[in-house]
Amino acid sequence: MSTPKHTGWADLATARKQHQIDLIPKDWIIEPPTAEHLDVRSVPESCGLLDELDIEITNTLDTNVILAKLASSEWSSVRVTTAFYKRAIIAQQLTNCLTEIFIDEALARAAAVDRHLKETGRTIGPLHGLPVSLKDQFCMKGRETIMGYVSWIGKVAEEDAVVVELLYACGAVPFVRTNVPQTLMWGETFNYVFGRTTNPFNRKLTPGGSSGGEGALIALHGSPIGIGTDIGGSVRIPAGFSGIYSLRPSYARLPYYGAVNSLEGQQAINSVIGPMCSHVSSLKVFTKAILDAKPWNKDPYVARKPWSEADYRLEDHGGPGGKLCFTVMYDNRLVRPHPPIRRALRMVEDALRAAGHIVTEWENPPHDVIDVFHTTEAIYMADGGDDFRDACAPTDEPLLQTMSPNGGHDVDDHPWDPHPTYMDEPLGLTASIRLQGKGKLSAHELWAIHKRKREIMKHYLDHWESTTARTGTGRPIDAIICPVAPFAAPPHGLNRFAEYMSNDFYTSLFNFLDYTAATIPVTKVDPEVDLADPQPTEFYNEEDEAVYKLYKPETFTNAPVGVQVVGRTLEEEAVIAMTEVVVKALEDWKAREGIKAV
């Protein structure tokens, strides 16, 4: 693809990026690491910008500890927000993870929170004084929400998104917004306005997408909790690629109203909001705080379903401390996971068995699994790509066809190299309709797709229920343990939709089914341990072959490896609790085996 000509849209993008750069305080600018410095996680603490208390605050991963210190006035919100803001600005200089920077406004909010506590002796709410980062979809009154489109520069919100309203009501301090890909419908993070976000574990690798800015920021401890969105894995993939935790709730549980989006009006597979964080406890902290704020009174689509302590105690799953039955999906029979992914699954299985839980191996339902993905693709692209092209049209901004650094749309001052790829061809349906408008469906055709979706969901429901015969607990499996993706974070340009959607095979299934799913970090790629597999005698399909050829152990050096913990629809409390069970079992097992944390 040739480099787009620098016409009006490019001038707009350049000016808006420069405005962002100008908002960084001069005394917060650090000496940039060299291009060869790929793992930049140590830079925030070695660059000299953070003092001892900044480091203590930002390295306090358990949000409950931060909140307790804020409530007791041991730490002020101004001090905590300043520490995280400095670290977020360092993260921006290392990975290009931010979009909106509004230091003065955030510190003014933090000061107001501190003043309330001093004058009343009471906290505002359960998130009192806590800085929270937001994906660049969540509107904030008086601020732009660009969402990766040049055409949306200058698009100022008249109202806060509902989740932002509730964050204020809970006492939180929204303080930055984070980068996304153009259209959102990519598993990487690049747009013409703010550029490309890189992975802090290895800057030659992607942090995923579309919530990739949040993933990179939180991996560098630049935010205690971030809010992303997920329609096909956009919270879970960046979490898995960045070594952090996340939750993809079911639709209608957390408020989306007032956030901008792609494909608005498409309601067969819904985008949802979810927390991303560095400590598993934050999943409960955020979810309970928002539910306790009664979001159904603000968003007409949110179910009137308060936080349930009974569900969190796993009363439908054997009760507190009971034996759980997990099933491990090692292979969905569409794309084989790479060696480090399988090793992570074995680690979790061994840890759960050691903790006394039952573990079985997932059996795929007795029908063509690829039907799920063809149905998903048809739903996503029923408009033939009109939504994307209409968003780009006002400024003639080119619609991105690739995330590859070889695609003619990047600058030269980033630490990646052109790389050979087995993943660029064939491009598959999604890429072709971005450019050509293929795939458009009539209303009647779309209704038939929706009917097929309901039938498939019923197949999976029956299949899950049928596992009662194999668990030994008298109930079906409690949760699925499965990959986030068939690979760890790949080089830039290689985590894309293809004929069989390999980048989100293991996540989009649960968007389709609307199952609640969490992500946890397990390990990192070790080239000396995670050797390449012998070539199979037969591949499942062309995509399986392409994914196999992608794996070179040294390419993925240091990449985090995470897994999903998947429950059923509207099981947020239970999935959070079961995720905590898995994390505890894994931590205990690692301690006994002498394995370091990620």
Side-chain angles (χ1 to χ4, degrees), residues 151-484:
S151 298
W152 289 14
I153 293 173
K155 185 177 180 180
V156 176
E158 296 181 359
E159 301 291 341
D160 291 325
V162 167
V163 73
V164 176
E165 283 187 59
L166 297 181
L167 285 171
Y168 286 134
C170 289
V173 181
F175 77 116
V176 291
R177 287 199 304 208
T178 53
N179 204 19
V180 300
Q182 184 203 64
T183 78
L184 300 180
M185 301 297 284
W186 291 96
E188 302 197 27
T189 300
F190 170 82
N191 61 72
Y192 291 120
V193 182
F194 297 107
R196 184 182 300 275
T197 301
T198 61
N199 193 313
F201 283 80
N202 181 338
R203 291 191 295 167
K204 287 188 177 181
L205 307 179
T206 179
S210 60
S211 307
E214 283 294 335
L217 174 66
I218 294 168
L220 285 167
H221 301 175
S223 173
I225 295 180
I227 308 176
T229 66
D230 192 312
I231 194 173
S234 291
V235 159
R236 289 160 291 158
I237 291 170
F241 286 2
S242 302
I244 63 175
Y245 299 87
S246 73
L247 178 71
R248 184 265 172 204
S250 293
Y251 181 63
R253 199 71 204 277
L254 296 178
Y256 209 114
Y257 191 85
V260 295
N261 203 2
S262 289
L263 310 182
E264 286 200 83
Q266 183 282 112
Q267 291 185 301
I269 302 174
N270 291 286
S271 182
V272 299
I273 76 169
M276 304 171 70
C277 45
S278 294
H279 195 279
V280 68
S281 65
S282 301
L283 300 179
K284 179 184 178 183
V285 167
F286 172 82
T287 305
K288 186 176 186 303
I290 297 300
L291 291 177
D292 286 349
K294 300 181 179 180
W296 48 85
N297 290 333
K298 297 281 188 178
D299 185 333
Y301 279 108
V302 174
R304 187 176 287 270
K305 188 176 187 297
W307 175 268
S308 169
E309 280 298 321
D311 290 348
Y312 181 69
R313 290 194 300 269
L314 298 175
E315 291 187 359
D316 288 339
H317 295 271
K323 181 182 292 188
L324 297 169
C325 181
F326 297 90
T327 190
V328 181
M329 184 190 295
Y330 278 102
D331 185 342
N332 63 7
R333 307 303 177 193
L334 293 174
V335 172
R336 295 173 175 86
H338 283 171
I341 310 302
R342 298 199 308 274
R343 178 168 62 84
L345 293 169
R346 289 194 300 271
M347 290 172 66
V348 174
E349 178 176 354
D350 290 347
L352 289 171
R353 290 188 187 279
H357 299 290
I358 300 167
V359 184
T360 66
E361 186 166 347
W362 171 258
E363 297 179 8
N364 285 306
H367 67 273
D368 189 359
V369 181
I370 196 65
D371 195 12
V372 173
F373 302 100
H374 287 160
T375 304
T376 298
E377 188 80 333
I379 289 169
Y380 286 165
M381 298 303 167
D383 72 335
D386 285 348
D387 182 79
F388 304 151
R389 287 188 295 276
D390 288 350
C392 291
T395 57
D396 291 326
E397 170 189 3
L399 183 61
L400 285 169
Q401 304 301 310
T402 176
M403 286 280 132
S404 174
N406 302 340
H409 51 58
D410 277 312
V411 294
D412 296 328
D413 60 347
H414 287 279
W416 53 69
D417 299 321
H419 49 263
T421 171
Y422 298 100
M423 300 289 283
D424 283 347
E425 298 292 345
L427 289 173
L429 175 63
T430 304
S432 67
I433 68 170
R434 288 177 193 274
L435 185 62
Q436 301 169 21
K438 296 178 181 177
K440 186 177 291 189
L441 301 177
S442 69
H444 182 71
E445 290 170 327
L446 184 58
W447 293 344
I449 294 289
H450 291 172
K451 180 181 177 182
R452 178 58 184 149
K453 177 178 181 287
R454 185 176 60 205
E455 293 168 351
I456 295 171
M457 292 176 72
K458 172 62 170 164
H459 290 324
Y460 271 86
L461 174 60
D462 292 345
H463 183 63
W464 191 302
E465 286 293 316
S466 73
T467 62
T468 302
R470 302 191 300 276
T471 61
T473 63
R475 61 181 186 273
I477 57 170
D478 294 297
I480 301 170
I481 307 296
C482 68
V484 174

Side-chain angles (χ1 to χ4, degrees), residues 477-512:
I477 57 170
D478 294 297
I480 301 170
I481 307 296
C482 68
V484 174
F487 35 67
H492 300 286
L494 300 190
N495 190 45
R496 55 78 173 132
F497 288 101
E499 188 66 28
Y500 296 99
M501 291 163 45
S502 65
N503 76 322
D504 68 349
F505 260 145
Y506 291 92
T507 52
S508 63
L509 170 63
F510 304 116
N511 297 85
F512 184 98

